[in-house]
Amino acid sequence: MNRRTALTLLSTAAASPFTLGSPLRALAQATAARTLTYGQSGAVTALDPAQGSFATYPAGYEVAYCLYDRLVDFDENLKFVPQLAESWDVAPDLKSIRFRLRKNVRFHDGTAFNAQAVKFNVERLIDKARNPTNRPLWDPVADADVVDEHTVAIRTKAPYSQLLNSLAHGSGSMVSPAAVEKHGDKGIAQNPVGAGPYRLEAFTPGQEVVLRAFDGYWGGKPATDRLVFKYILEASTRIAALRTGSVDVIDSVPVQLVAGLRKEANVEVVVRPSLRPMGLAINLSRPPYDDPRVRRALNHAIPVETIAERVFFGFAKASDAPLAFDTQGYQKQRPYEYSVAKAKALLVEAGFKPGAGGQLEREGKPLKMTLLASEGLFPGDVNIAEIAQRAFQQIGIDVTISKIERGSYWDALRQERAALAFDLAVFGFNPSNASGLYHLESLFKSNADDAARPTVWNMGRYRNPKVDELLAQANSNPDPAKQLAAMGEAQRIVWEDAPYVWLHVNQNVTAFRKGIKGVELWPIVFTIARRARVEA
Amino acid sequence: MVPGDEATLMAGATASQADIELLRARLGLDRPLVKQYAARLVGLARGDFGYSSTFRGNPLPHVLARLPATLLLMGAAIALTVALGLPAGVLAAVRQNRWPDYLLSLLVVGLLAIPNFWLGLMLIGALSVDRGWLPSFGFTGWASLVMPTLALAARLVALVARMTRGVMLEELAKDYVRTARAKGLGTPAVVGHHVLRNALIPTVTVIGLQTGYLLGGSVVVERLFAWPGVGDLMINAVGARDYTLVQAITILFVSGFLLINLMVDVLYVLINPRLRHA
């Protein structure tokens, strides 16, 4: 064989269609018709609702929502629907709820689900030593009382209107008490046993979770035989896996890649705003930012639409309330119009005059600002800070951006008042139990001691007794309509007091193969495959 | 000191300060640094790498479970390098300033300039998405090994080919080659028996030293192909501030690097009989 024939052979081999691949793929699809594979952006390493919860967020929770049932579930719009509890009565004093449990429910290991099982789970969740995370959701709970085999009453220490939120939250997952006994408090994270529609088949922490339909599920066997959760960190790899058909569903599609994915004939894209409104938290503890006129000026000066377009390719919506659009209790407010003129007028009203070089000053002191930005903690955080810097410079403020590595950002935000190193800071809060009240209390309820480190997220030291009163009302008034009214009023006051520069709500993007039905994207970042089925 | 606090990240954005303190105490992060360090050293000696927040316990078994995948990828990359780079370099040297040499130079420049993640993306696009020949991610069979190996080895193949060519040219110009030819030996015998053995030493050295690159590259390539190896784990560990896990992997990587270089030293002796008497 001379050189020429060898080369010819080589080139024909390269050009001829490689026929082995396609029949193999067809075969794989036929046998796997009732298997649904979800390529997740996060790694699942533990599947225990207590002991630090389902690491990591949201991947572990997404598996948990298929594996475990809870007393109460959310629907796609975050309304409460019965799950293991058939119905419930809220006590008039809002200090307990009595649940009537579904009968003939068994955990995957055959253990009966009953009032004792609920008591066991609630006691495990409220015990700080056994469950160190999600404390704000479980600290208000006092205990659970077994009324009879199928009735249980869960009591709270004080009136608490968010008990259903805690129970519907992923950490409210009911674990088989026998399994905890068998595997121990630590071992259950690798050997989870719930009462959900799917039971665990195989679990390789950090790589893959395989669930199989549970024959004994009270709601009937699910339509899909197997659910496979595969961890694929890299977004472009997830997209390639979806395009080749090796996974059916992917989450967390980067916004800059959505347009390309939408052109694919057999891919469907769902977009949904999250529950986390982004903003710039203002440090109200020193002038001039203690003046609401200055804070409103900042709100008028920021081009939120530009951020949504330039940083997020349109996959973000301008906030119109302290809460995100889908949060329970959200009430729309009047947006701050983007107007440099209005911003300047407000600053003049607050006593500022242009000094040397157009920079504003008051009583000879120039208007300066330190803007704290995390790096990679929130989507586009550094870009947001840079756009804000330019916007504030336009109205004559001298802005310095201070970037903080993401691991130390929470610490930099929550400091003693004397050590606060920022005037404004990029921040967004995600109420994982979907409750607007939880969100408002975490951010805007007055700190017990403004000089000390804030216990929750009121790092700007916002203090308004009227808001505190409204939040207390929303937590203790048994009438849901009154709760909503109080929260609406609190949002109106907070919006006008402007302890934040309100920015935008990011949208989450999930994509799946056409022919897959029932994939849900919840505003709490979760892509839920529980009711998903393969139809083609 | 590394910035950032493991307990804060683990407790999550909704945690209160009290919860974080509690978690810190449970992780032993509230003890004096000296004590933490001493405890860590004692643990290491006993194979206990400490508490990894990712795995809620000693990370060592999990890291070891991931190790075969990484070793497989590295082994495949080294094998491909030897199988392609070495003959290509020899061919280019023997055919100096003729078309195989020019072609090789072109390829070497190209492969050295292409970053591995980009090559990986292009491979996925061409071989997986467009044609469906190979699985695009994970480890599902031997076909899965092809693209990650190509992406990881490309740079090394080019480097070894260029290195081999240079050393071969140097050796080919030496007196012993002239003597061998004077004895009447043909080119294959001269190259195969005499020149190549001498030229192998620097080449093996390069491969040994490049193990560091392979380890670093495996982090990138494993992420791109969702390869269930140690590199992929490393990225997660850094993101989660799981220092224990980062340490475990780093110690493993360093041991691997040392081990491979020890093997290179042993190889020297095998390749070059003169060293046995030195």
Side-chain angles (χ1 to χ4, degrees):
Chain A
M1 183 163 64
N2 64 23
R3 191 185 296 153
R4 185 171 299 155
T5 47
L7 282 174
T8 320
L9 264 178
L10 263 174
S11 62
T12 46
S16 72
F18 194 79
T19 43
L20 186 61
S22 8
L24 271 181
R25 268 215 291 173
L27 187 72
Q29 270 167 8
T31 55
R34 307 240 295 166
T35 291
L36 189 125
T37 310
Y38 169 21
Q40 286 180 300
S41 58
V44 182
T45 53
L47 284 167
D48 176 7
Q51 293 290 328
S53 272
F54 312 107
T56 54
Y57 191 91
Y61 282 81
E62 292 172 336
V63 177
Y65 272 56
C66 302
L67 185 67
Y68 291 106
D69 266 9
R70 286 147 292 133
L71 292 182
V72 187
D73 192 13
F74 290 118
D75 69 4
E76 213 179 339
N77 298 311
L78 303 180
K79 300 272 178 296
F80 297 119
V81 286
Q83 201 169 54
L84 288 176
E86 279 179 317
S87 61
W88 54 85
D89 295 313
V90 181
D93 64 355
L94 267 183
K95 283 175 78 173
S96 72
I97 302 183
R98 181 182 280 239
F99 294 92
R100 270 170 304 278
L101 305 178
R102 208 171 280 284
K103 290 177 181 129
N104 302 319
V105 174
R106 296 205 167 266
F107 288 103
H108 303 152
D109 62 355
T111 310
F113 168 78
N114 52 25
Q116 282 82 9
V118 175
K119 184 173 168 66
F120 172 86
N121 273 284
V122 169
E123 284 179 349
R124 187 165 182 257
L125 289 165
I126 59 180
D127 182 348
K128 274 188 188 213
R130 295 169 90 184
N131 181 29
T133 48
N134 287 314
R135 292 318 308 167
L137 306 185
W138 297 104
D139 277 340
V141 179
D143 205 351
D145 302 327
V146 174
V147 179
D148 61 43
E149 179 75 5
H150 297 290
T151 314
V152 68
I154 300 180
R155 280 182 289 115
T156 52
K157 293 167 187 162
Y160 183 55
S161 64
Q162 302 168 46
L163 182 56
L164 289 176
N165 294 82
S166 296
L167 294 167
H169 181 266
S171 64
S173 294
M174 293 291 134
V175 182
S176 158
V180 176
E181 182 105 332
K182 185 176 161 199
H183 298 289
D185 255 334
K186 286 221 189 300
I188 198 78
Q190 312 299 329
N191 305 283
V193 180
Y198 293 89
R199 62 181 170 78
L200 187 77
E201 181 172 291
F203 181 20
T204 319
Q207 284 178 44
E208 192 178 74
V209 186
V210 183
L211 304 183
R212 183 166 281 283
F214 174 44
D215 293 326
Y217 185 57
W218 59 265
K221 200 180 166 193
T224 307
D225 291 330
R226 285 169 88 228
L227 279 182
V228 181
F229 297 82
K230 286 190 179 206
Y231 166 52
I232 311 175
L233 173 64
E234 179 63 39
S236 49
T237 311
R238 271 201 308 284
I239 291 174
L242 179 66
R243 291 173 69 192
T244 57
S246 43
V247 304
D248 302 300
V249 184
I250 58 170
D251 70 332
S252 193
V253 178
V255 289
Q256 68 272 20
L257 299 179
V258 176
L261 204 55
R262 276 198 168 138
K263 286 188 199 131
E264 292 280 321
N266 52 4
V267 168
E268 241 170 287
V269 176
V270 264
V271 177
R272 190 111 196 240
S274 74
L275 290 190
R276 182 172 68 193
M278 290 303 302
L280 306 174
I282 305 174
N283 175 5
L284 282 69
S285 70
R286 56 191 182 209
Y289 302 103
D290 55 346
D291 184 337
R293 287 170 300 189
V294 176
R295 302 196 297 264
R296 282 183 210 129
L298 296 179
N299 270 293
H300 281 296
I302 194 118
V304 180
E305 296 298 334
T306 310
I307 293 178
E309 284 302 316
R310 295 286 161 79
V311 183
F312 302 110
F313 299 83
F315 290 98
K317 284 167 80 177
S319 286
D320 55 12
L323 299 179
F325 317 108
D326 289 305
T327 309
Q328 296 173 353
Y330 152 84
Q331 198 173 78
K332 185 179 160 66
Q333 306 298 321
R334 204 160 63 95
Y336 286 87
E337 172 201 355
Y338 172 55
S339 161
V340 173
K342 269 194 184 166
K344 283 185 172 163
L346 276 165
L347 287 175
V348 169
E349 210 183 301
F352 284 96
K353 288 189 186 70
Q359 212 193 310
L360 290 179
E361 46 181 55
R362 184 168 70 180
E363 289 145 16
K365 276 168 78 180
L367 182 46
K368 285 190 173 176
M369 179 198 292
T370 302
L371 173 55
L372 208 63
S374 56
E375 286 190 275
L377 195 57
F378 301 108
D381 40 14
V382 175
N383 297 335
I384 294 169
E386 283 166 356
I387 291 179
Q389 182 184 38
R390 257 165 299 173
F392 296 150
Q393 274 165 352
Q394 275 196 343
I395 56 168
I397 306 176
D398 179 14
V399 183
T400 314
I401 295 181
S402 163
K403 282 187 232 169
I404 306 280
E405 202 272 337
R406 55 176 240 166
S408 33
Y409 194 66
W410 302 137
D411 266 353
L413 288 179
R414 288 205 284 207
Q415 286 296 329
E416 277 123 45
R417 186 175 54 202
L420 273 181
F422 65 89
D423 298 307
L424 267 67
V426 177
F427 185 68
F429 181 85
N430 178 47
S432 62
N433 67 354
S435 161
L437 185 54
Y438 175 44
H439 191 152
L440 293 170
E441 281 182 331
S442 301
L443 269 61
F444 306 114
K445 194 174 150 186
S446 304
N447 292 311
D449 175 8
D450 270 344
R453 272 172 186 256
T455 48
V456 229
W457 289 107
N458 185 0
M459 55 265 180
R461 273 69 178 175
Y462 177 67
R463 181 171 284 275
N464 188 331
K466 181 73 187 137
V467 171
D468 290 343
E469 197 195 308
L470 286 164
L471 293 179
Q473 268 179 36
N475 222 350
S476 55
N477 196 311
D479 181 358
K482 294 232 168 73
Q483 291 175 12
L484 276 179
M487 281 168 65
E489 179 64 6
Q491 284 175 74
R492 189 188 63 75
I493 298 173
V494 169
W495 185 256
E496 277 176 15
D497 281 345
Y500 271 71
V501 176
W502 315 107
L503 297 176
H504 59 274
V505 178
N506 289 102
Q507 292 185 306
N508 296 314
V509 186
T510 280
F512 52 88
R513 193 164 62 74
K514 278 200 178 128
I516 304 283
K517 301 283 177 229
V519 174
E520 295 161 25
L521 174 58
W522 291 7
I524 8 176
V525 211
F526 298 157
T527 299
I528 300 292
R530 186 186 166 101
R531 283 170 281 270
R533 58 193 185 278
V534 186
E535 291 204 339
Chain B
M1 289 281 288
V2 197
D5 173 27
E6 195 176 340
T8 318
L9 271 162
M10 191 178 159
T14 54
S16 71
Q17 196 60 39
D19 308 332
I20 294 172
E21 295 301 339
L22 187 81
L23 206 55
R24 221 169 251 166
R26 281 190 41 172
L27 295 176
L29 296 172
D30 56 345
R31 292 175 300 166
L33 276 182
V34 181
K35 273 194 183 165
Q36 286 191 45
Y37 184 64
R40 182 57 54 95
L41 284 185
V42 171
L44 279 183
R46 293 187 306 204
D48 176 12
F49 281 65
Y51 182 87
S52 148
S53 52
T54 310
F55 294 110
R56 281 142 223 270
N58 186 5
L60 190 63
H62 296 276
V63 177
L64 290 179
R66 295 284 196 108
L67 196 59
T70 298
L71 288 181
L72 178 66
L73 188 56
M74 282 182 65
I78 292 177
L80 189 71
T81 305
V82 174
L84 288 182
L86 213 58
V90 171
L91 190 71
V94 175
R95 296 266 184 280
Q96 196 196 358
N97 295 333
R98 286 160 66 184
W99 70 262
D101 190 22
Y102 294 137
L103 184 69
L104 183 83
S105 303
L106 205 70
L107 276 175
V108 162
V109 172
L111 289 179
L112 280 179
I114 293 175
N116 50 21
F117 63 88
W118 187 83
L119 182 62
L121 274 177
M122 293 300 113
L123 285 171
I124 293 177
L127 301 183
S128 193
V129 175
D130 292 351
R131 289 180 186 78
W133 292 349
L134 297 169
S136 65
F137 76 96
F139 183 72
T140 47
W142 294 104
S144 305
L145 192 60
V146 176
M147 290 193 294
T149 306
L150 285 175
L152 188 60
R155 204 186 106 95
L156 210 53
V157 169
L159 209 65
V160 164
R162 199 180 61 171
M163 185 79 198
T164 309
R165 175 184 175 272
V167 182
M168 284 286 293
L169 284 178
E170 203 178 296
E171 293 294 327
L172 279 170
K174 284 190 177 163
D175 287 346
Y176 72 87
V177 177
R178 202 167 17 156
T179 313
R181 287 197 194 280
K183 284 198 295 193
L185 291 180
T187 304
V190 172
V191 171
H193 284 284
H194 298 277
V195 182
L196 193 58
R197 284 197 105 149
N198 283 309
L200 265 181
I201 303 249
T203 309
V204 169
T205 312
V206 167
I207 294 179
L209 288 177
Q210 287 295 321
T211 325
Y213 159 77
L214 280 182
L215 286 169
S218 76
V219 174
V220 177
V221 170
E222 282 182 12
R223 170 171 177 166
L224 187 62
F225 289 96
W227 190 258
V230 181
D232 185 59
L233 200 60
M234 180 82 152
I235 294 190
N236 282 321
V238 171
R241 282 292 170 294
D242 188 346
Y243 297 129
T244 319
L245 188 51
V246 172
Q247 266 177 2
I249 297 172
T250 311
I251 290 175
L252 210 72
F253 271 14
V254 170
S255 330
F257 186 75
L258 292 177
L259 206 69
I260 288 184
N261 279 283
L262 181 73
M263 275 159 59
V264 166
D265 284 345
V266 173
L267 269 180
Y268 284 164
V269 179
L270 290 180
I271 295 165
N272 192 340
R274 279 171 295 187
L275 287 175
R276 279 173 228 164
H277 310 293

